[in-house]
């Protein structure tokens, strides 16, 4: 996935790709955004990383 994110450093693109990969299963299971936001917080994602 990180190869689809343009204009970002490879490290930042990899971090964002990792966060998306972690959140997708929650959304696929029908979990709400509250669960996704909790996961992002627990993973230490900053506001800009999760925007």
């Amino acid at each position: 996935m990180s190869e689809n994110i343009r204009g970002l450093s490879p490290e930042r693109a990899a971090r964002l790709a990792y966060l998306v990969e972690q959140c997708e299963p929650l959304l696929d299971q029908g979990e709400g955004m509250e669960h996704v936001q909790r996961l992002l917080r627990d993973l230490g994602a900053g506001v800009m990383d999760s925007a």
Side-chain angles (χ1 to χ4, degrees):
M1 171 172 205
S2 62
E3 64 275 359
N4 295 328
I5 303 173
R6 297 178 186 205
L8 300 175
S9 70
E11 295 81 14
R12 183 147 169 80
R15 171 75 173 151
L16 292 174
Y18 171 77
L19 292 172
V20 169
E21 289 169 3
Q22 298 303 304
C23 292
E24 283 180 328
L26 290 175
L27 296 172
D28 289 343
Q29 296 169 10
E31 300 292 339
M33 282 304 295
E34 181 180 328
H35 289 95
V36 171
Q37 290 172 347
R38 186 177 304 123
L39 174 63
L40 291 170
R41 182 198 65 215
D42 292 348
L43 292 173
V47 173
M48 295 304 292
D49 283 341
S50 59

